[in-house]
Amino acid sequence: QVQLVESGGGLVQAGGSLRLSCAASGRIFSINAMGWYRQAPGKQRELVAAIINDGSTNYGKSVKGRVTISRDNGKNMVHLQMDSLKPEDTAVYYCNVEESGAGGMDYWGKGTLVIVSS
């Protein structure tokens, strides 16, 4: 069984920074991508950032330039450094792991809450 455990969420003032981390454990065969998504109340889940196996990255439009995703391959961990936070960044942030291959699974963490106060 695969487990994703997120950490680092919390309350921060606008303009501040937070670093989220996610540790993946269990039987993961081959990781294609690791990433972060978020869901604010009443809104759809959206991509924040993802890092692919080849090292390439994708960022959501609303956070580009303010967040940086990094991966520790040896430990199956992914980190999200978030700077210049805005109240609209308030959401539950979910870690995602995508396995490689046609039959690859998609795994999700339980989420960590980020609240940005104005």
Side-chain angles (χ1 to χ4, degrees):
Q1 189 172 355
V2 174
Q3 276 193 319
L4 303 183
V5 178
E6 300 111 332
S7 61
L11 174 65
V12 64
Q13 285 190 330
S17 299
L18 276 178
R19 179 177 166 86
L20 306 183
S21 294
C22 172
S25 62
R27 200 170 176 181
I28 303 175
F29 291 101
S30 177
I31 295 177
N32 177 57
M34 300 183 78
W36 291 91
Y37 289 72
R38 69 185 183 186
Q39 188 164 18
K43 294 189 176 181
Q44 287 189 328
R45 192 173 294 192
E46 63 174 359
L47 171 72
V48 179
I51 184 163
I52 316 302
N53 231 10
D54 62 2
S56 60
T57 54
N58 294 323
Y59 291 98
K61 283 184 181 178
S62 59
V63 299
K64 203 166 186 177
R66 299 189 295 117
V67 306
T68 304
I69 190 168
S70 61
R71 180 177 164 181
D72 184 338
N73 290 334
K75 297 181 181 179
N76 275 351
M77 291 190 72
V78 64
H79 309 282
L80 185 71
Q81 176 67 39
M82 302 191 293
D83 301 311
S84 302
L85 284 163
K86 304 175 182 180
E88 50 264 44
D89 294 318
T90 295
V92 178
Y93 285 69
Y94 296 92
C95 179
N96 171 260
V97 167
E98 179 187 297
E99 280 185 332
S100 304
M105 300 288 289
D106 224 9
Y107 300 102
W108 293 92
K110 292 183 179 179
T112 185
L113 178 62
V114 171
I115 299 174
V116 184
S117 63
S118 55

